[in-house]
Amino acid sequence: MGILIKDVFMPTKRKATIYIEGNKIQSINGEIRKDDFVIDGHNKLVLPAFYNTHTHLSMSLFRGIAEDMWLKDWLEKIVWPIERYINEEYVYWGAILGGLELIHSGIAAIADMYFFMDRVAEALELLGLRGVLGTTIFEFPSPEAETPEEAFKIVENLAKKYKNHELIKPSIAPHSIYSCNIEILQQAKEIADRYGLLIQTHLSETRWEVYEVQKRYGKRPVELLESIGFLDKNVLAAHAVWLTKVEIRTLAKYDVKVSHNPVSNLKLASGGVMPYPEMKEYGVLVTLGTDGVASNNNFDMFEEMKVFAISQKNHRWDPTIAKAEEVFKVATENGAKALGFKAGRVEEGYLADLILIDLSSPHLKPFYDPITLAVYSMRAGDVDGLIVNGKPLMLNKEILVVDERKLMEKAERKAFELYEKTMGVVK
């Protein structure tokens, strides 16, 4: 049985009927069969779902736990001490809580960095979401692995377990240059090459990071990564705020993908604004991410798009920079491309990862241009439905695949339990 989205507004504003068969958009305005499952698209807009290219999903349990701090203090005094108590059970319930929010936010896929990624995969499979899941590597012990070697083994096992999986792609995530030595970075690259994995890493997020790397190695971060043979088309660099033009050209040379996280960068006072115009000029593929909700504090990609656009315009004193259409493409099609999925467009042959927007709210009137409305006026609460891989996960704002209230209550209990364990531990 196929799925019909009947009489819905397209991103072009014209009305259409979309036919989904299997996990793809089979036809638009094609033949209608009597046995199809019909979704009424009246007064609704269909958009490609979002591809959120930088998250720490299970840190949803940390929402609101550490606020108004410098990134270095935030990590060293709050996050890392709490994570000493993290286990696979907390990771699973954090992923469930975060995953429920992803559905309500119209996000079909994430690039995630954390621990116990088999449990994150379990949560995403239950919810029907896509994930490129990167086991995080440090040069010091993590909640999952005492040594980098142990973490590398975990990555290899996941690479074998989820090979050719429809929703889950294993990845490797050396955390950053300042928390991984050269040998770890090189070994991570070797494993990624061996198994064809995406590499996720934090890069040039703060000025402190750049100075620290220069002090330690005598080179700026991108220069260092190039010198050790780390950069290639399978690297996804999160943040990339503090870059020179030479470094941007280097990223373009190796086809490195960048995940821009404007809300988190602004909240943590990274100080700079990612040099989007130069990245666009030199041909770097820019995507959009929220970061984790411990530093955002939500997965609202509509908010992320608007902040991306207006922060670029303000920083460069130019309202023509980061126009709505290109910002929307960054959040959808670019993200899908970076993560290796043919998605991000409402077109025949593309994966059926789609959002339905309820157009009945006053802040969405008058209905002139759907894409401008999406970037500057919409919010996560306007998402009425989400289809991922051809399967409806939410319709009429009701999650269909699980008992949302029951799971949310259990996840919150786990969050409070973790918080109580760590009281007095954080500085």
Side-chain angles (χ1 to χ4, degrees):
M1 182 171 65
I3 296 173
L4 276 173
I5 308 174
K6 195 173 180 182
D7 198 30
V8 70
F9 283 109
M10 296 281 283
T12 57
K13 201 181 173 181
R14 69 185 175 91
K15 280 202 165 185
T17 293
I18 300 169
Y19 178 55
I20 298 167
E21 188 171 54
N23 66 350
K24 291 185 174 65
I25 300 171
Q26 189 68 28
S27 66
I28 296 174
N29 288 331
E31 185 180 349
I32 298 175
R33 301 187 322 207
K34 289 183 179 179
D35 61 342
D36 288 325
F37 177 77
V38 178
I39 297 171
D40 183 6
H42 177 68
N43 202 34
K44 290 184 177 131
L45 168 68
V46 65
L47 295 171
F50 294 117
Y51 275 60
N52 184 345
T53 55
H54 184 58
T55 65
H56 309 287
L57 188 64
S58 295
M59 290 178 75
S60 295
L61 297 186
F62 295 9
R63 191 193 323 258
I65 212 169
E67 303 293 353
D68 310 320
M69 301 177 70
W70 295 102
L71 174 62
K72 188 172 184 294
D73 290 341
W74 182 82
L75 283 171
E76 295 177 357
K77 295 181 179 180
I78 305 292
V79 173
W80 288 344
I82 289 175
E83 285 179 341
R84 293 177 197 145
Y85 292 81
I86 280 286
N87 58 34
E88 58 181 305
E89 191 72 4
Y90 291 128
V91 165
Y92 174 78
W93 285 104
I96 287 288
L97 180 61
L100 293 171
E101 186 180 354
L102 296 179
I103 294 175
H104 280 289
S105 303
I107 296 169
I110 57 171
D112 199 49
M113 295 175 64
Y114 213 54
F115 317 107
F116 303 106
M117 279 302 177
D118 52 337
R119 298 307 307 276
V120 177
E122 186 182 332
L124 293 182
E125 284 185 275
L126 176 69
L127 297 170
L129 295 165
R130 301 187 191 278
V132 178
L133 306 182
T135 299
T136 304
I137 316 290
F138 294 110
E139 63 186 41
F140 45 82
S142 78
E144 188 177 16
E146 284 295 314
T147 64
E149 290 71 28
E150 190 179 334
F152 290 136
K153 277 291 181 190
I154 291 167
V155 171
E156 292 188 86
N157 289 338
L158 289 173
K160 295 168 186 173
K161 180 177 180 181
Y162 289 101
K163 186 178 180 181
N164 301 321
H165 194 283
E166 203 165 26
L167 295 175
I168 305 300
K169 290 186 178 185
S171 170
I172 189 167
H175 178 270
S176 59
I177 301 175
Y178 59 86
S179 63
C180 294
N181 60 41
I182 298 290
E183 292 73 23
I184 291 172
L185 294 170
Q186 288 175 321
Q187 195 168 349
K189 175 67 165 58
E190 180 188 326
I191 290 172
D193 289 346
R194 191 186 316 156
Y195 292 97
L197 307 179
L198 189 75
I199 303 175
Q200 302 180 55
T201 191
H202 298 94
L203 179 66
S204 297
E205 182 177 1
T206 63
R207 193 168 49 172
W208 168 85
E209 176 188 333
V210 175
Y211 290 159
E212 188 69 18
V213 172
Q214 284 181 309
K215 186 170 70 175
R216 189 170 174 182
Y217 298 106
K219 296 177 180 176
R220 290 180 66 88
V222 174
E223 182 186 7
L224 175 68
L225 293 180
E226 182 185 28
S227 72
I228 64 171
F230 187 86
L231 300 177
D232 67 18
K233 63 182 176 63
N234 290 322
V235 173
L236 176 61
H239 303 296
V241 173
W242 289 93
L243 298 175
T244 65
K245 286 187 177 181
V246 171
E247 288 179 296
I248 296 168
R249 288 194 190 99
T250 300
L251 295 179
K253 174 184 173 183
Y254 292 97
D255 196 19
V256 172
K257 281 69 175 177
V258 166
S259 177
H260 183 30
N261 300 252
V263 173
S264 179
N265 291 156
L266 289 168
K267 184 166 182 273
L268 290 171
S270 296
V273 175
M274 188 200 75
Y276 173 68
E278 288 75 19
M279 289 193 183
K280 189 168 81 165
E281 179 185 351
Y282 299 139
V284 175
L285 185 75
V286 176
T287 67
L288 199 62
T290 58
D291 212 341
V293 301
S295 64
N296 184 300
N297 294 40
N298 60 47
F299 291 123
D300 190 339
M301 289 284 280
F302 294 99
E303 179 180 83
E304 211 72 40
M305 287 193 295
K306 184 173 182 176
V307 172
F308 169 26
I310 64 178
S311 61
Q312 291 291 329
K313 295 172 192 299
N314 180 71
H315 185 63
R316 297 305 180 99
W317 293 25
D318 184 350
T320 69
I321 286 175
K323 294 178 181 178
E325 188 174 343
E326 63 187 272
V327 168
F328 188 77
K329 183 178 178 181
V330 164
T332 53
E333 188 178 354
N334 283 15
K337 184 177 179 181
L339 301 188
F341 295 99
K342 186 181 179 182
R345 298 176 70 92
V346 187
E347 287 186 12
E348 293 177 1
Y350 277 69
L351 287 170
D353 293 354
L354 302 171
I355 301 171
L356 290 170
I357 299 293
D358 180 0
L359 294 170
S360 61
S361 298
H363 66 276
L364 301 182
K365 305 292 184 186
F367 183 50
Y368 292 133
D369 176 60
I371 300 304
T372 299
L373 208 60
V375 173
Y376 295 123
S377 300
M378 287 181 192
R379 50 191 79 142
D382 297 319
V383 175
D384 190 70
L386 177 66
I387 297 169
V388 176
N389 207 40
K391 178 180 180 181
L393 307 186
M394 181 173 75
L395 292 174
N396 302 315
K397 299 188 188 302
E398 181 184 352
I399 292 182
L400 307 175
V401 287
V402 293
D403 184 333
E404 181 182 11
R405 179 178 292 181
K406 182 178 177 181
L407 292 183
M408 195 160 49
E409 289 174 354
K410 178 71 179 288
E412 188 173 33
R413 286 199 299 272
K414 284 291 177 182
F416 290 147
E417 178 184 295
L418 176 62
Y419 182 73
E420 288 173 5
K421 283 183 180 179
T422 58
M423 287 176 66
V425 173
V426 295
K427 297 178 183 178

